Amino acid sequence: MKRIIIKYIFILFISSNLLLSQYRNSNYTTEHKIDLTGNFIEDFKNNSNLINEEELQSTKNKYSPLCAGLYSAVIPGAGQFYTERYWQSIAFLGAEAFGWILYAIYEKKGDRHTDIFQNYADDYWSVIRYARWIEMYYGYSAADIIKDSPPDNVAQPWKYVDWSKLNYYEEEIGKQAHSGFSHKLAPYRDQQYYEMIGKYAQFIGGWNDAWNGSNSLYGKDDVFNERVSPNFLKYRDMRGDANSFYNIATTVSYVILANHIFSALEAAWSASKINNKLKLKGHIQPRTIYGNLVEYVPTLHAKYEF
């Protein structure tokens, strides 16, 4: 008895919603109008043709593509978790974690090698030595650049240099033919400072192993001879190592960004596909048991398209 009561309550719930939705649908003409008498069995009998002809079919929007996309845009894999595709979620989140680990490793390596080559430059390259080299080869008085005449191996040589006067002389020398001067030395501790002294031959004279007065700083056609200073070449390679680590970290950061974008697009697309593939059909079918006795059976069909 309880099973029968539950069955008919379920029939009443389904049928009332179906009938109400049909009655409220403005697209139906007056011939679809449902007449209700208040008698449950009679109402089903009188409107059985309508119930048989009209079928409730809807697409269930189980997931929001917008939410899925936004979740994965913030945290790759979150949108996949939202749509209950857990293996894909683990894959995207794992790629995110692995990417950040790699980024941190190579950034740290770049920082460590930067400290190494900067300390090397502070130990073996001197702006005072560079200014005196300019005086030797170009005739500009080092006394105008250097203040208080400190020794070559002074601990903090940049404090004894008039930087504006040094840059002025560099600019004047650059106007001469085949001088090789193309840059003005950036202030000490500036990133460009450490780049210039290991990149351009005009700064070779500041290295301690080039300053001996006997080795020629010039090669063929008045071009600076880089090999006059082994420390210059060593320092250049040290900077190259640090930059290579930073370049790898930058590439990894692009991959991390791409993982966010791809995860967001994939999550939104998959949510939309799931919604389109999952379809529900509701029926109330009259079934003749025997004679004139008719039983109305509610059915619900779920269809998922692969």
Side-chain angles (χ1 to χ4, degrees):
M1 176 65 72
K2 290 182 179 180
R3 183 178 298 177
I4 295 175
I5 293 174
I6 293 173
K7 180 177 180 180
Y8 277 100
I9 291 175
F10 181 67
I11 291 174
L12 180 61
F13 176 78
I14 295 294
S15 61
S16 61
N17 280 278
L18 287 171
L19 293 173
L20 184 59
S21 64
Q22 296 285 356
Y23 182 76
R24 290 180 175 178
N25 194 331
S26 60
N27 293 327
Y28 291 158
T29 59
T30 55
E31 65 181 2
H32 293 94
K33 185 176 180 180
I34 299 174
D35 296 322
L36 301 178
T37 65
N39 185 294
F40 181 76
I41 301 299
E42 290 297 324
D43 288 340
F44 270 101
K45 289 182 179 179
N46 294 337
N47 298 284
S48 61
N49 291 334
L50 175 63
I51 296 174
N52 288 331
E53 292 173 1
E54 302 297 336
E55 182 180 86
L56 176 66
Q57 179 173 335
S58 64
T59 298
K60 183 180 179 182
N61 290 321
K62 188 175 182 181
Y63 305 111
S64 167
L66 178 61
C67 288
L70 289 176
Y71 292 158
S72 282
V74 177
I75 303 177
Q80 286 74 16
F81 188 88
Y82 165 68
T83 55
E84 300 179 56
R85 294 176 305 114
Y86 302 115
W87 285 113
Q88 290 89 336
S89 176
I90 292 173
F92 280 112
L93 188 58
E96 177 78 0
F98 183 68
W100 280 112
I101 291 173
L102 278 182
Y103 179 84
I105 289 173
Y106 283 100
E107 273 288 306
K108 187 174 182 179
K109 284 185 176 181
D111 291 342
R112 185 168 62 249
H113 279 73
T114 296
D115 291 338
I116 291 173
F117 78 69
Q118 287 184 351
N119 290 333
Y120 190 86
D122 290 344
D123 290 339
Y124 298 108
W125 195 90
S126 170
V127 65
I128 293 178
R129 193 179 296 117
Y130 172 60
R132 289 173 176 166
W133 173 79
I134 288 177
E135 180 180 45
M136 173 177 289
Y137 284 95
Y138 293 98
Y140 290 93
S141 175
D144 294 339
I145 302 173
I146 303 170
K147 299 174 289 184
D148 300 329
S149 299
D152 291 342
N153 59 349
V154 65
Q156 297 177 331
W158 56 90
K159 292 185 176 182
Y160 296 89
V161 173
D162 184 338
W163 224 269
S164 60
K165 182 68 73 171
L166 173 63
N167 290 159
Y168 170 75
Y169 285 161
E170 289 172 323
E171 187 175 9
E172 291 298 311
I173 296 171
K175 297 176 182 179
Q176 301 176 17
H178 306 295
S179 68
F181 275 61
S182 56
H183 291 78
K184 294 184 292 186
L185 185 61
Y188 175 72
R189 300 297 296 180
D190 190 271
Q191 184 269 337
Q192 290 294 318
Y193 169 90
Y194 287 108
E195 178 179 348
M196 287 179 174
I197 63 177
K199 185 176 181 180
Y200 302 107
Q202 77 177 69
F203 300 106
I204 286 178
W207 290 100
N208 65 333
D209 58 349
W211 183 253
N212 53 32
S214 60
N215 294 332
S216 174
L217 294 174
Y218 298 94
K220 187 178 179 181
D221 299 326
D222 291 334
V223 176
F224 280 107
N225 181 10
E226 294 180 357
R227 298 189 181 279
V228 76
S229 171
N231 281 339
F232 173 85
L233 299 178
K234 182 177 180 179
Y235 178 76
R236 183 182 62 185
D237 293 339
M238 293 169 67
R239 281 190 59 256
D241 291 340
N243 288 336
S244 66
F245 290 130
Y246 284 131
N247 289 337
I248 293 174
T250 300
T251 301
V252 172
S253 70
Y254 293 149
V255 174
I256 292 173
L257 177 60
N259 187 49
H260 281 254
I261 296 173
F262 180 70
S263 179
L265 293 176
E266 196 278 337
W269 179 81
S270 295
S272 177
K273 292 289 290 184
I274 291 172
N275 291 339
N276 290 336
K277 289 180 179 180
L278 183 63
K279 296 182 180 180
L280 299 177
K281 292 183 179 180
H283 307 266
I284 298 180
Q285 286 184 311
R287 184 177 68 180
T288 302
I289 301 177
Y290 60 88
N292 293 326
L293 183 58
V294 179
E295 181 182 30
Y296 293 90
V297 181
T299 61
L300 184 65
H301 296 285
K303 182 180 180 183
Y304 190 84
E305 299 176 356
F306 292 93

